[in-house]
Each structure stands twice: as C-alpha cells, then as structure tokens.
Amino acid sequence: MNVVGSGPTSHNFFSQRLRLQYVDYGNEDKPLLVLVHGGRDHARNWDNVAAGIRDHFHVIAPDLRGHGDSAWAIGSQYSMPDYVLDLNQLLGHVDKQPVTLVGHSLGGGIVLHYTGIYPERVERVAAIEGMGPPPSMTVDKPVEERMSEWIQIMEGLATRTPHRYLTLAEAQSRMKAANPHLSDEMAHHLTVHGTMRMEDGSYVWKFDNYVRAWGPNRYDRDAIHRLWSRISCPVMLFRGTESWAEDPVKDGRASHFKDYKYEEIEGAGHWVHHDRFEDFMAKLKGFLGI
C-alpha cells in the first residue's frame, strides 16, 4: 500500500471498550514500527518522521485515548497502565512481531514500559524525553496530600470548559506561543490536525481536558527502574539541550538500561523531533540502521 501524497489511512481498534484510532503510513510488507505521541498531542504530529522512514518500515501511529480522534475515557484517570494496555491492544490488532517502538514524552514512557513488560517482543525502542520526572522533580508526599490534591484537581476540571478560538489562525498562534521552536508550517500542521470546528464555527483542541491530570498514586521509581532493567534490546534516549528535561546519564536513570545510547540535540526544546528535525532524523536513522 502506497500513501505518498495522500497522507496516512485511518483505522480503529478497541481497548477497554473504547474505540481508538491509529493511522497507517503503508508498506505492510515491511517490519512494523509504531510511533507514540505525547500528552495533549495527536498521531499526525509524526507525519514528517514517518515520511523519512516509511520506505524501510510499516509505520503506524495511534491517537492515545483522550487524544486526537480516539474516544475519551469517561471516568478514567488516564493512567500509564491504561495507555500501556492500549498499546498492547493495538499491537495485538495489527498482529506483527517483533516491533520497533518510538515515543515522545508520555509516549516515550509508554513504549519503555511496554518494552520492559514484554522485552522479547521489541526489536528496538527510542524515547524522546520520555523518562518521566527526574529525581529532582519527584516529591513523595503522604497519601492524604496526594489524594486531597487530586480531588481538588478533579473538581477544578469539572468546571473547566474548553477554550474556543474564533479562527484556526488564533489557535495556531496559541500553538506557536506554547512551542516557540516550531516553524510556522509545523505549527499550522499540528493545529489543523489537533483541533475540531464546533457548530458555532469556533475551534477547540481535540484532547480531553482530563488528560492534564495524573492519578493520586505514588510515583513508583523502583518499579520503573525494574522495567527499564528488563529491556534487552537496544535503547535510544533523546533529549533537547533547551528542554526542561534533565540529563538521564548525569542523574543516573540511564544506568538502568543494559544497552543504550544517549543523544542530546543542540538547540531543541521538549519537541526534539520538530525543533531540530534534520538532526533528529539523522540520529534516529542511524539507530534504526537505515
């Protein structure tokens, strides 16, 4: 299947009774590679990356639950286990092993979790700023404080309505203000695929506002380190030098991987694959052996 010039095709699968979407960039006879986006993002943010590697892989990219054109999970905490389950259901739906996984931010955490659970299923895994909060940002609060804060956040979200933009250009300006490294072209692309037009002609972001909040459970760093230590395939860790994310080699987190390579991309913020696309793709292609 060739989709050059027409964009990827859209497909659905189910997880926990939710209808979730993924896009398929074609070449089903090639090895499978899955691209997993980050929080408040969508699958079509990967279009340029997919175009650069699709000659060598069967590339697909899901919209996470509560994002893009996938269903919202009413009553869900949008937890990491739920997202990992969804990835497992997608891979079962496509039914092709082994798989190469690439994830950004939240998506990076998802692919690293999945690979630690099922190391035998993954050929290679790359995480773009997807290692979660560094040790300096983690505060282990008592359970009553965590629960109280979570309840307050839920109460706040219940009264929050999605911001409406009068025009697509206005939404694009907001996208560019939040991500100043983006080119105008990429900001437009992300906005077109990340918004929906309402009946009154205004635009809102597609993601569910509830994806902004994490559940009240303690961040179990020991468990996450155990999963990382179970990964047997090659791992690539990306970080932008102008991002809030910290160096995982210096803070010790990278030491839990058996076989990893760490790459810093100069001049990139959190969205490394957009901010310095050519530099990122050169490193990714080298890791993928293409």
PDB file of all heavy atoms in Angstrom, residues 166-189:
ATOM      1  N   LEU A 166     -11.694  31.757  17.850  1.00  0.00           N
ATOM      2  CA  LEU A 166     -12.593  32.236  16.808  1.00  0.00           C
ATOM      3  C   LEU A 166     -12.170  31.776  15.419  1.00  0.00           C
ATOM      4  O   LEU A 166     -12.994  31.537  14.549  1.00  0.00           O
ATOM      5  CB  LEU A 166     -12.685  33.764  16.848  1.00  0.00           C
ATOM      6  CG  LEU A 166     -13.320  34.354  18.109  1.00  0.00           C
ATOM      7  CD1 LEU A 166     -13.332  35.882  18.031  1.00  0.00           C
ATOM      8  CD2 LEU A 166     -14.732  33.815  18.305  1.00  0.00           C
ATOM      9  N   THR A 167     -10.849  31.631  15.228  1.00  0.00           N
ATOM     10  CA  THR A 167     -10.327  31.202  13.925  1.00  0.00           C
ATOM     11  C   THR A 167      -9.234  30.169  14.122  1.00  0.00           C
ATOM     12  O   THR A 167      -8.643  30.051  15.203  1.00  0.00           O
ATOM     13  CB  THR A 167      -9.744  32.397  13.140  1.00  0.00           C
ATOM     14  OG1 THR A 167      -8.601  32.907  13.855  1.00  0.00           O
ATOM     15  CG2 THR A 167     -10.783  33.495  12.975  1.00  0.00           C
ATOM     16  N   LEU A 168      -8.939  29.456  13.042  1.00  0.00           N
ATOM     17  CA  LEU A 168      -7.840  28.494  13.086  1.00  0.00           C
ATOM     18  C   LEU A 168      -6.515  29.219  13.302  1.00  0.00           C
ATOM     19  O   LEU A 168      -5.628  28.717  14.002  1.00  0.00           O
ATOM     20  CB  LEU A 168      -7.804  27.706  11.778  1.00  0.00           C
ATOM     21  CG  LEU A 168      -6.896  26.472  11.745  1.00  0.00           C
ATOM     22  CD1 LEU A 168      -7.421  25.403  12.701  1.00  0.00           C
ATOM     23  CD2 LEU A 168      -6.816  25.908  10.320  1.00  0.00           C
ATOM     24  N   ALA A 169      -6.394  30.406  12.737  1.00  0.00           N
ATOM     25  CA  ALA A 169      -5.160  31.191  12.906  1.00  0.00           C
ATOM     26  C   ALA A 169      -4.945  31.553  14.365  1.00  0.00           C
ATOM     27  O   ALA A 169      -3.803  31.567  14.842  1.00  0.00           O
ATOM     28  CB  ALA A 169      -5.230  32.449  12.045  1.00  0.00           C
ATOM     29  N   GLU A 170      -6.026  31.830  15.087  1.00  0.00           N
ATOM     30  CA  GLU A 170      -5.899  32.154  16.502  1.00  0.00           C
ATOM     31  C   GLU A 170      -5.402  30.936  17.285  1.00  0.00           C
ATOM     32  O   GLU A 170      -4.542  31.055  18.172  1.00  0.00           O
ATOM     33  CB  GLU A 170      -7.250  32.611  17.051  1.00  0.00           C
ATOM     34  CG  GLU A 170      -7.205  33.088  18.494  1.00  0.00           C
ATOM     35  CD  GLU A 170      -8.572  33.510  19.005  1.00  0.00           C
ATOM     36  OE1 GLU A 170      -9.484  33.737  18.184  1.00  0.00           O
ATOM     37  OE2 GLU A 170      -8.725  33.601  20.245  1.00  0.00           O
ATOM     38  N   ALA A 171      -5.925  29.761  16.968  1.00  0.00           N
ATOM     39  CA  ALA A 171      -5.464  28.533  17.621  1.00  0.00           C
ATOM     40  C   ALA A 171      -4.007  28.257  17.282  1.00  0.00           C
ATOM     41  O   ALA A 171      -3.217  27.830  18.134  1.00  0.00           O
ATOM     42  CB  ALA A 171      -6.342  27.357  17.202  1.00  0.00           C
ATOM     43  N   GLN A 172      -3.638  28.521  16.036  1.00  0.00           N
ATOM     44  CA  GLN A 172      -2.249  28.326  15.626  1.00  0.00           C
ATOM     45  C   GLN A 172      -1.312  29.250  16.390  1.00  0.00           C
ATOM     46  O   GLN A 172      -0.203  28.849  16.771  1.00  0.00           O
ATOM     47  CB  GLN A 172      -2.107  28.550  14.121  1.00  0.00           C
ATOM     48  CG  GLN A 172      -0.695  28.348  13.597  1.00  0.00           C
ATOM     49  CD  GLN A 172      -0.626  28.503  12.087  1.00  0.00           C
ATOM     50  OE1 GLN A 172      -1.568  28.194  11.371  1.00  0.00           O
ATOM     51  NE2 GLN A 172       0.504  29.002  11.594  1.00  0.00           N
ATOM     52  N   SER A 173      -1.737  30.469  16.628  1.00  0.00           N
ATOM     53  CA  SER A 173      -0.917  31.401  17.401  1.00  0.00           C
ATOM     54  C   SER A 173      -0.696  30.883  18.815  1.00  0.00           C
ATOM     55  O   SER A 173       0.391  31.035  19.374  1.00  0.00           O
ATOM     56  CB  SER A 173      -1.587  32.784  17.441  1.00  0.00           C
ATOM     57  OG  SER A 173      -1.629  33.355  16.154  1.00  0.00           O
ATOM     58  N   ARG A 174      -1.737  30.277  19.382  1.00  0.00           N
ATOM     59  CA  ARG A 174      -1.594  29.695  20.723  1.00  0.00           C
ATOM     60  C   ARG A 174      -0.619  28.524  20.689  1.00  0.00           C
ATOM     61  O   ARG A 174       0.211  28.372  21.591  1.00  0.00           O
ATOM     62  CB  ARG A 174      -2.959  29.225  21.236  1.00  0.00           C
ATOM     63  CG  ARG A 174      -2.894  28.510  22.581  1.00  0.00           C
ATOM     64  CD  ARG A 174      -2.520  29.479  23.698  1.00  0.00           C
ATOM     65  NE  ARG A 174      -2.335  28.799  24.971  1.00  0.00           N
ATOM     66  CZ  ARG A 174      -1.185  28.379  25.448  1.00  0.00           C
ATOM     67  NH1 ARG A 174      -0.066  28.581  24.739  1.00  0.00           N
ATOM     68  NH2 ARG A 174      -1.107  27.775  26.615  1.00  0.00           N
ATOM     69  N   MET A 175      -0.689  27.706  19.655  1.00  0.00           N
ATOM     70  CA  MET A 175       0.245  26.589  19.498  1.00  0.00           C
ATOM     71  C   MET A 175       1.675  27.105  19.410  1.00  0.00           C
ATOM     72  O   MET A 175       2.588  26.585  20.074  1.00  0.00           O
ATOM     73  CB  MET A 175      -0.108  25.805  18.236  1.00  0.00           C
ATOM     74  CG  MET A 175       0.906  24.757  17.813  1.00  0.00           C
ATOM     75  SD  MET A 175       0.952  23.286  18.854  1.00  0.00           S
ATOM     76  CE  MET A 175      -0.587  22.492  18.354  1.00  0.00           C
ATOM     77  N   LYS A 176       1.881  28.158  18.635  1.00  0.00           N
ATOM     78  CA  LYS A 176       3.229  28.703  18.446  1.00  0.00           C
ATOM     79  C   LYS A 176       3.733  29.360  19.733  1.00  0.00           C
ATOM     80  O   LYS A 176       4.919  29.246  20.070  1.00  0.00           O
ATOM     81  CB  LYS A 176       3.210  29.717  17.303  1.00  0.00           C
ATOM     82  CG  LYS A 176       4.576  30.188  16.845  1.00  0.00           C
ATOM     83  CD  LYS A 176       5.347  29.083  16.142  1.00  0.00           C
ATOM     84  CE  LYS A 176       6.721  29.547  15.667  1.00  0.00           C
ATOM     85  NZ  LYS A 176       6.657  30.507  14.553  1.00  0.00           N
ATOM     86  N   ALA A 177       2.847  30.011  20.482  1.00  0.00           N
ATOM     87  CA  ALA A 177       3.260  30.648  21.732  1.00  0.00           C
ATOM     88  C   ALA A 177       3.698  29.610  22.761  1.00  0.00           C
ATOM     89  O   ALA A 177       4.636  29.832  23.532  1.00  0.00           O
ATOM     90  CB  ALA A 177       2.115  31.492  22.287  1.00  0.00           C
ATOM     91  N   ALA A 178       3.022  28.460  22.774  1.00  0.00           N
ATOM     92  CA  ALA A 178       3.351  27.402  23.729  1.00  0.00           C
ATOM     93  C   ALA A 178       4.600  26.636  23.314  1.00  0.00           C
ATOM     94  O   ALA A 178       5.266  26.028  24.164  1.00  0.00           O
ATOM     95  CB  ALA A 178       2.179  26.442  23.874  1.00  0.00           C
ATOM     96  N   ASN A 179       4.919  26.674  22.019  1.00  0.00           N
ATOM     97  CA  ASN A 179       6.058  25.907  21.494  1.00  0.00           C
ATOM     98  C   ASN A 179       6.850  26.783  20.527  1.00  0.00           C
ATOM     99  O   ASN A 179       6.774  26.609  19.310  1.00  0.00           O
ATOM    100  CB  ASN A 179       5.555  24.645  20.780  1.00  0.00           C
ATOM    101  CG  ASN A 179       4.659  23.807  21.660  1.00  0.00           C
ATOM    102  OD1 ASN A 179       5.123  23.064  22.507  1.00  0.00           O
ATOM    103  ND2 ASN A 179       3.349  23.939  21.462  1.00  0.00           N
ATOM    104  N   PRO A 180       7.607  27.754  21.051  1.00  0.00           N
ATOM    105  CA  PRO A 180       8.250  28.756  20.187  1.00  0.00           C
ATOM    106  C   PRO A 180       9.278  28.201  19.221  1.00  0.00           C
ATOM    107  O   PRO A 180       9.643  28.892  18.263  1.00  0.00           O
ATOM    108  CB  PRO A 180       8.894  29.718  21.197  1.00  0.00           C
ATOM    109  CG  PRO A 180       9.006  28.956  22.480  1.00  0.00           C
ATOM    110  CD  PRO A 180       7.840  28.010  22.487  1.00  0.00           C
ATOM    111  N   HIS A 181       9.751  26.982  19.439  1.00  0.00           N
ATOM    112  CA  HIS A 181      10.710  26.410  18.499  1.00  0.00           C
ATOM    113  C   HIS A 181      10.056  25.982  17.184  1.00  0.00           C
ATOM    114  O   HIS A 181      10.735  25.741  16.192  1.00  0.00           O
ATOM    115  CB  HIS A 181      11.394  25.179  19.116  1.00  0.00           C
ATOM    116  CG  HIS A 181      12.390  25.500  20.187  1.00  0.00           C
ATOM    117  ND1 HIS A 181      12.033  25.648  21.499  1.00  0.00           N
ATOM    118  CD2 HIS A 181      13.732  25.702  20.140  1.00  0.00           C
ATOM    119  CE1 HIS A 181      13.102  25.910  22.225  1.00  0.00           C
ATOM    120  NE2 HIS A 181      14.147  25.964  21.431  1.00  0.00           N
ATOM    121  N   LEU A 182       8.720  25.836  17.167  1.00  0.00           N
ATOM    122  CA  LEU A 182       8.034  25.328  15.985  1.00  0.00           C
ATOM    123  C   LEU A 182       8.131  26.311  14.821  1.00  0.00           C
ATOM    124  O   LEU A 182       8.019  27.525  15.006  1.00  0.00           O
ATOM    125  CB  LEU A 182       6.560  25.076  16.285  1.00  0.00           C
ATOM    126  CG  LEU A 182       6.195  23.949  17.246  1.00  0.00           C
ATOM    127  CD1 LEU A 182       4.686  23.914  17.468  1.00  0.00           C
ATOM    128  CD2 LEU A 182       6.683  22.609  16.722  1.00  0.00           C
ATOM    129  N   SER A 183       8.292  25.770  13.620  1.00  0.00           N
ATOM    130  CA  SER A 183       8.169  26.599  12.421  1.00  0.00           C
ATOM    131  C   SER A 183       6.689  26.923  12.222  1.00  0.00           C
ATOM    132  O   SER A 183       5.802  26.235  12.742  1.00  0.00           O
ATOM    133  CB  SER A 183       8.710  25.851  11.201  1.00  0.00           C
ATOM    134  OG  SER A 183       7.885  24.727  10.910  1.00  0.00           O
ATOM    135  N   ASP A 184       6.412  27.966  11.435  1.00  0.00           N
ATOM    136  CA  ASP A 184       5.018  28.310  11.147  1.00  0.00           C
ATOM    137  C   ASP A 184       4.319  27.156  10.430  1.00  0.00           C
ATOM    138  O   ASP A 184       3.142  26.876  10.688  1.00  0.00           O
ATOM    139  CB  ASP A 184       4.960  29.570  10.283  1.00  0.00           C
ATOM    140  CG  ASP A 184       5.370  30.816  11.056  1.00  0.00           C
ATOM    141  OD1 ASP A 184       5.356  30.778  12.304  1.00  0.00           O
ATOM    142  OD2 ASP A 184       5.727  31.823  10.400  1.00  0.00           O
ATOM    143  N   GLU A 185       5.042  26.485   9.545  1.00  0.00           N
ATOM    144  CA  GLU A 185       4.467  25.374   8.796  1.00  0.00           C
ATOM    145  C   GLU A 185       4.070  24.230   9.730  1.00  0.00           C
ATOM    146  O   GLU A 185       2.974  23.664   9.614  1.00  0.00           O
ATOM    147  CB  GLU A 185       5.463  24.876   7.743  1.00  0.00           C
ATOM    148  CG  GLU A 185       4.937  23.729   6.905  1.00  0.00           C
ATOM    149  CD  GLU A 185       5.972  23.218   5.912  1.00  0.00           C
ATOM    150  OE1 GLU A 185       7.173  23.547   6.072  1.00  0.00           O
ATOM    151  OE2 GLU A 185       5.579  22.490   4.989  1.00  0.00           O
ATOM    152  N   MET A 186       4.959  23.878  10.670  1.00  0.00           N
ATOM    153  CA  MET A 186       4.649  22.783  11.584  1.00  0.00           C
ATOM    154  C   MET A 186       3.547  23.182  12.559  1.00  0.00           C
ATOM    155  O   MET A 186       2.669  22.367  12.887  1.00  0.00           O
ATOM    156  CB  MET A 186       5.905  22.355  12.341  1.00  0.00           C
ATOM    157  CG  MET A 186       5.659  21.207  13.331  1.00  0.00           C
ATOM    158  SD  MET A 186       4.864  19.733  12.589  1.00  0.00           S
ATOM    159  CE  MET A 186       6.169  19.165  11.483  1.00  0.00           C
ATOM    160  N   ALA A 187       3.567  24.418  13.035  1.00  0.00           N
ATOM    161  CA  ALA A 187       2.506  24.880  13.924  1.00  0.00           C
ATOM    162  C   ALA A 187       1.152  24.787  13.232  1.00  0.00           C
ATOM    163  O   ALA A 187       0.149  24.399  13.849  1.00  0.00           O
ATOM    164  CB  ALA A 187       2.780  26.309  14.369  1.00  0.00           C
ATOM    165  N   HIS A 188       1.105  25.126  11.954  1.00  0.00           N
ATOM    166  CA  HIS A 188      -0.148  25.028  11.195  1.00  0.00           C
ATOM    167  C   HIS A 188      -0.587  23.566  11.071  1.00  0.00           C
ATOM    168  O   HIS A 188      -1.766  23.242  11.282  1.00  0.00           O
ATOM    169  CB  HIS A 188       0.033  25.647   9.810  1.00  0.00           C
ATOM    170  CG  HIS A 188      -1.182  25.553   8.949  1.00  0.00           C
ATOM    171  ND1 HIS A 188      -2.296  26.334   9.143  1.00  0.00           N
ATOM    172  CD2 HIS A 188      -1.471  24.743   7.887  1.00  0.00           C
ATOM    173  CE1 HIS A 188      -3.221  26.029   8.245  1.00  0.00           C
ATOM    174  NE2 HIS A 188      -2.735  25.068   7.474  1.00  0.00           N
ATOM    175  N   HIS A 189       0.357  22.693  10.743  1.00  0.00           N
ATOM    176  CA  HIS A 189       0.050  21.265  10.584  1.00  0.00           C
ATOM    177  C   HIS A 189      -0.503  20.681  11.879  1.00  0.00           C
ATOM    178  O   HIS A 189      -1.531  19.980  11.877  1.00  0.00           O
ATOM    179  CB  HIS A 189       1.308  20.520  10.150  1.00  0.00           C
ATOM    180  CG  HIS A 189       1.116  19.050   9.990  1.00  0.00           C
ATOM    181  ND1 HIS A 189       0.584  18.484   8.854  1.00  0.00           N
ATOM    182  CD2 HIS A 189       1.367  18.008  10.834  1.00  0.00           C
ATOM    183  CE1 HIS A 189       0.522  17.174   8.991  1.00  0.00           C
ATOM    184  NE2 HIS A 189       0.997  16.858  10.187  1.00  0.00           N
TER     185      HIS A 189
END
